[in-house]
């Protein structure tokens, strides 16, 4: 396969999933620290307290990236590390950590892609209502301005918010993520306020960084009804609105999808849609595989995760594998939003107990099929400019704890030792063009 010479190959991570050091250098708790301490919310009682200890081991992680030959690294800044209470006094020790990281990346010839929010909201802001409080748009803008002024001389690529649909749905409708509230009004307010925060952050980045290249990161995937029943099809349409459209549509086209517009309307004030819909430079796409959906009248919005057909190919953690749907998603997105697409996450989950995590042929097969599908989409005209594997390292996989592993590099969580897997060599070869 030939790839354009300027195509960007990278890897992605996020702060809470790798950094550890949750109480060091002035960092204060996030809503995920709280969730990890709530019984029954995270598999095995795992927490992000130590995670990959990237806070201390980041020089080694930069070396690992250099060995892979990646050109770009997408990471997130932990809001509670740089602004421990979410607003007010900045924390110099926290800011200095990302200075060291960014400088190390640049020295290694790796371009930093900075994501402002990957789910670790300062607990102090949650105590004020978090995403359900409209004031959060201003808090997020102030945090963004701090980051822009501190790093904007060295960082030009910025993403505002990672997968807004996932953390709002899981956090406010399903109790699959922090803060674990199940309430329609809270969910709708969170959606609208996340959109307002995105718009405010785009403006803050443009104001604070010369030549900023700005976008948001959305998880989009095909939602397939589990059966032909009308009920399952209706559930699929509702989930599709919340999952795929509740953020890109207002952010890029200025309106909420019809299926949820009426429900969100009570929270929308005059001028909001213009505040949300600010010009972006790229579309960040996270994609793994389709969701099979079914009706569930007992749930908040009438839908639930169904199951994939028995004969569907699945990863070791049970996620369905359909590269053609990735190809189609890229083509559709490119047509609808007319922005350059960067695939900011794609990857394959495994489990150490399967005994195949170092010689991870299953992951190589997945990544091979998905990059081939991306190549087909590009041949069909989709404007895809880069691809980031999730993830550099095995890490804290939210509610699944350390059981589910997505890394190109194996992490022994008792010692912190890193060992590149077969897929790391495969990816290095792909990047080197061999
Ligand atoms: C995405 C998240 C990322 C990681 C992968 C597997 O939804 O953005 O943090 O958990 O899934």
């Amino acid at each position: 396969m030939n790839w354009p010479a300027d195509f960007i190959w990278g890897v992605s991570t996020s702060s809470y999933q790798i950094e550890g050091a949750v109480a060091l250098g002035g960092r204060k708790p996030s809503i995920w620290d709280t969730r990890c301490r709530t019984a029954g919310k995270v598999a095995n009682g795992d927490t992000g307290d130590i995670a990959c200890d990237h806070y201390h081991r980041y020089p080694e992680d930069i070396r690992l990236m250099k060995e892979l030959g990646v050109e770009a690294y997408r990471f997130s800044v932990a809001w509670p590390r740089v602004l421990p209470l979410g607003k007010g006094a900045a924390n110099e020790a926290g800011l200095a950590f990302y200075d060291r990281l960014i400088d190390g990346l640049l020295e290694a010839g790796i371009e930093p892609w900075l994501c402002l929010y990957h789910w670790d909201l300062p607990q102090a802001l949650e105590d004020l209502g978090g995403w359900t409080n409209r004031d959060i748009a201003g808090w997020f803008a102030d945090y963004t301005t701090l980051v822009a002024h501190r790093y904007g001389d060295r960082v030009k690529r910025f993403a505002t918010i990672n997968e807004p649909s996932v953390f709002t749905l899981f956090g406010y409708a399903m109790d699959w993520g922090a803060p674990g509230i199940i309430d329609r009004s809270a969910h709708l307010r969170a959606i609208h306020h996340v959109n307002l925060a995105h718009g405010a952050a785009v403006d803050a980045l443009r104001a604070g960084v010369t030549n900023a290249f700005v976008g948001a990161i959305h998880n989009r995937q095909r939602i397939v009804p589990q059966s032909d029943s009308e009920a399952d099809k209706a559930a699929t349409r509702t989930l599709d609105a919340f999952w795929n459209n509740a953020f890109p549509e207002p952010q890029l086209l200025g309106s909420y999808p019809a299926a949820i517009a009426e429900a969100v309307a009570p929270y929308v004030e005059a001028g909001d849609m213009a505040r949300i819909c600010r010009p972006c430079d790229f579309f960040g796409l996270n994609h793994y595989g389709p969701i099979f959906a079914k009706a569930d009248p007992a749930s908040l919005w009438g839908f639930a995760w169904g199951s994939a057909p028995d004969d569907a190919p699945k990863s070791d953690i049970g996620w369905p594998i359909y590269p053609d749907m990735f190809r189609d998603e890229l083509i559709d997105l490119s047509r609808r939003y007319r922005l350059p697409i960067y695939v900011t996450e794609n990857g394959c989950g495994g489990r150490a107990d399967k005994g195949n995590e170092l010689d991870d042929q299953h992951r190589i097969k997945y990544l091979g099929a998905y990059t081939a599908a991306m190549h087909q989409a590009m041949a069909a005209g989709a404007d895809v400019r880069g691809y980031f594997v999730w993830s550099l390292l095995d890490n804290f996989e939210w509610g699944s704890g350390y059981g589910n592993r997505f890394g190109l590099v194996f992490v022994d969580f008792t010692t912190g030792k890193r060992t590149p897997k077969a897929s790391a060599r495969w990816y290095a070869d792909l990047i080197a063009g061999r």
Side-chain angles (χ1 to χ4, degrees):
M1 266 177 278
N2 283 321
W3 299 94
D6 55 358
F7 193 83
I8 292 177
W9 296 103
V11 285
S12 282
T13 65
S14 90
S15 44
Y16 190 70
Q17 294 179 275
I18 65 166
E19 285 179 3
V22 291
L24 291 184
R27 182 189 178 278
K28 293 259 193 255
S30 76
I31 54 175
W32 269 94
D33 295 279
T34 306
R35 187 165 177 86
C36 289
R37 276 167 180 69
T38 312
K41 301 301 184 192
V42 176
N44 198 36
D46 289 343
T47 74
D49 287 3
I50 298 173
C52 306
D53 197 24
H54 171 79
Y55 185 74
H56 297 111
R57 291 175 177 258
Y58 71 91
E60 184 182 352
D61 294 336
I62 294 173
R63 274 200 300 282
L64 287 164
M65 284 188 259
K66 206 175 151 88
E67 276 164 33
L68 280 173
V70 292
E71 291 138 345
Y73 173 51
R74 174 195 155 217
F75 65 99
S76 73
V77 169
W79 189 348
R81 197 177 286 292
V82 300
L83 275 173
L85 298 178
K87 57 190 176 115
N91 174 31
E92 179 53 35
L95 288 164
F97 166 68
Y98 298 104
D99 277 330
R100 294 195 293 277
L101 174 66
I102 290 164
D103 291 345
L105 289 165
L106 292 173
E107 246 165 66
I110 299 165
E111 186 177 42
W113 284 56
L114 188 158
C115 178
L116 286 157
Y117 186 75
H118 201 125
W119 307 359
D120 41 1
L121 186 74
Q123 180 62 42
L125 295 185
E126 180 62 26
D127 297 341
L128 300 175
W131 291 108
T132 68
N133 183 337
R134 190 178 161 99
D135 290 344
I136 200 165
W139 303 333
F140 193 63
D142 292 345
Y143 158 59
T144 303
T145 299
L146 173 73
V147 169
H149 287 159
R150 179 78 176 214
Y151 309 118
D153 56 336
R154 289 155 290 162
V155 179
K156 299 296 171 190
R157 314 276 203 163
F158 289 91
T160 54
I161 296 177
N162 178 71
E163 297 187 359
S165 65
V166 180
F167 81 80
T168 51
L169 192 66
F170 289 3
Y172 295 93
M174 300 176 71
D175 195 16
W176 283 5
I181 293 163
I182 301 186
D183 178 78
R184 283 192 175 201
S185 160
H187 185 206
L188 295 165
R189 280 179 287 145
I191 289 172
H192 189 57
H193 300 154
V194 167
N195 276 323
L196 285 170
H198 159 83
V202 172
D203 289 347
L205 289 166
R206 301 257 184 244
V209 181
T210 330
N211 294 326
F213 187 76
V214 181
I217 295 176
H218 300 290
N219 184 331
R220 294 197 41 132
Q221 47 211 128
R222 295 297 207 250
I223 321 272
V224 185
Q226 186 190 260
S227 80
D228 279 343
S229 75
E230 265 322 305
D232 284 353
K233 285 190 199 156
T236 298
R237 284 192 294 275
T238 313
L239 177 54
D240 188 47
F242 281 114
W243 190 270
N244 287 323
N245 297 320
F247 297 91
E249 290 287 302
Q251 290 178 12
L252 299 171
L253 300 178
S255 59
Y256 278 100
I260 62 168
E262 218 173 285
V264 185
Y267 310 105
V268 181
E269 296 182 8
D272 277 3
M273 298 320 289
R275 290 183 187 105
I276 291 169
C277 184
R278 310 296 297 141
C280 282
D281 303 309
F282 71 96
F283 191 107
L285 172 69
N286 291 359
H287 182 102
Y288 291 87
I291 297 171
F292 290 84
K294 64 176 182 191
D296 178 5
S299 72
L300 193 67
W301 296 110
F303 57 72
W305 263 235
S307 37
D310 288 342
D311 59 353
K314 294 189 198 87
S315 70
D316 284 355
I317 62 164
W319 291 14
I321 301 177
Y322 287 82
D324 288 358
M325 293 195 190
F326 179 46
R327 176 199 61 208
D328 296 347
E329 190 66 64
L330 289 166
I331 294 171
D332 290 355
L333 272 186
S334 199
R335 287 197 187 127
R336 184 152 184 88
Y337 300 117
R338 307 201 163 279
L339 283 174
I341 299 169
Y342 290 84
V343 176
T344 35
E345 280 183 31
N346 174 241
C348 177
R351 295 193 59 89
D353 51 22
K354 297 260 178 185
N356 58 1
E357 270 301 282
L358 282 178
D359 187 20
D360 55 343
Q361 298 303 322
H362 64 109
R363 184 168 291 106
I364 293 175
K365 198 171 157 208
Y366 176 99
L367 294 172
Y370 273 71
T371 49
M374 174 169 70
H375 197 268
Q376 288 167 13
M378 292 163 71
D383 184 6
V384 187
R385 308 268 180 99
Y387 174 89
F388 295 68
V389 172
W390 182 271
S391 183
L392 172 66
L393 303 168
D394 292 338
N395 58 47
F396 174 77
E397 179 48 28
W398 308 115
S400 313
Y402 296 100
N404 292 359
R405 294 175 174 263
F406 278 86
L408 297 172
V409 174
F410 185 88
V411 178
D412 177 334
F413 291 106
T414 52
T415 61
K417 183 167 186 271
R418 279 100 163 113
T419 310
K421 305 179 189 177
S423 59
R425 286 189 294 279
W426 176 88
Y427 195 43
D429 286 350
L430 172 78
I431 296 171
R434 273 171 269 153

